[in-house]
Amino acid sequence: FARQHIEIDTRLVSSMRDWIEGYKIGQDYDFIVLGNYAGISDWDAEQAASTAYEHAGRISVTNYDWMMPYAMVDKTKIPEEQGEWSAQLAREILDGAVPGDIPVVSNRRWAAYINPRLLERAGITLSRSSTYNAIKVK
């Protein structure tokens, strides 16, 4: 984000009340990045979904498919890619490659998700190209 001159204001919460407050405050920002709900001791999925729907205004994104009831857009790694890559590297190492010489690479395949209900509620329309292959969640 820093390379793109995007400032991030992080808010880690441990209660449902704080999550709701943070989501509401997030509406004053350009966009909201939702992490996971690990560490929120009293997480309530229904309350989170209703809060997201009631206050949806800014685009919200995540990289966890299980957070899609509360986010509008998601790009998630495809676990099979990591398994295939690991198997390929294991073969290379067995053939004599030095593990320290193997470069770190980024994922190349992603699953896209959209939440049409939240997008519509916020009045946000995404381009056809960004929604064409996306998995639609409710």
Side-chain angles (χ1 to χ4, degrees):
F1 290 106
R3 284 184 281 183
Q4 298 299 321
H5 306 289
I6 298 172
E7 291 182 39
I8 300 294
D9 185 2
T10 303
R11 180 177 297 265
L12 299 175
V13 299
S14 59
S15 72
M16 195 66 214
R17 184 185 60 139
D18 290 343
W19 188 89
I20 291 169
E21 179 184 340
Y23 190 88
K24 289 177 183 178
I25 290 169
Q27 303 308 310
D28 294 332
Y29 289 79
D30 294 329
F31 61 94
I32 302 168
V33 178
L34 294 177
N36 66 48
Y37 51 79
I40 300 177
S41 59
D42 58 344
W43 179 256
D44 183 327
E46 281 187 35
Q47 190 175 22
S50 66
T51 297
Y53 183 77
E54 181 181 344
H55 298 283
R58 297 292 184 183
I59 193 150
S60 54
V61 300
T62 188
N63 63 332
Y64 301 107
D65 57 355
W66 65 85
M67 291 298 290
M68 281 308 296
Y70 330 109
M72 297 173 191
V73 178
D74 174 29
K75 280 195 113 174
T76 303
K77 297 176 201 172
I78 297 175
E80 291 81 7
E81 177 184 17
Q82 295 168 342
E84 293 162 2
W85 184 78
S86 297
Q88 176 188 340
L89 291 183
R91 284 190 202 116
E92 290 178 21
I93 291 168
L94 290 172
D95 287 340
V98 177
D101 292 341
I102 298 170
V104 175
V105 298
S106 297
N107 288 69
R108 294 184 177 110
R109 297 180 356 220
W110 302 88
Y113 295 82
I114 59 169
N115 186 325
R117 184 173 180 257
L118 288 180
L119 287 164
E120 182 179 328
R121 172 74 172 160
I124 297 171
T125 303
L126 301 176
S127 69
R128 183 177 170 99
S129 63
S130 63
T131 62
Y132 182 71
N133 288 323
I135 299 164
K136 294 162 183 64
V137 298
K138 298 177 183 188

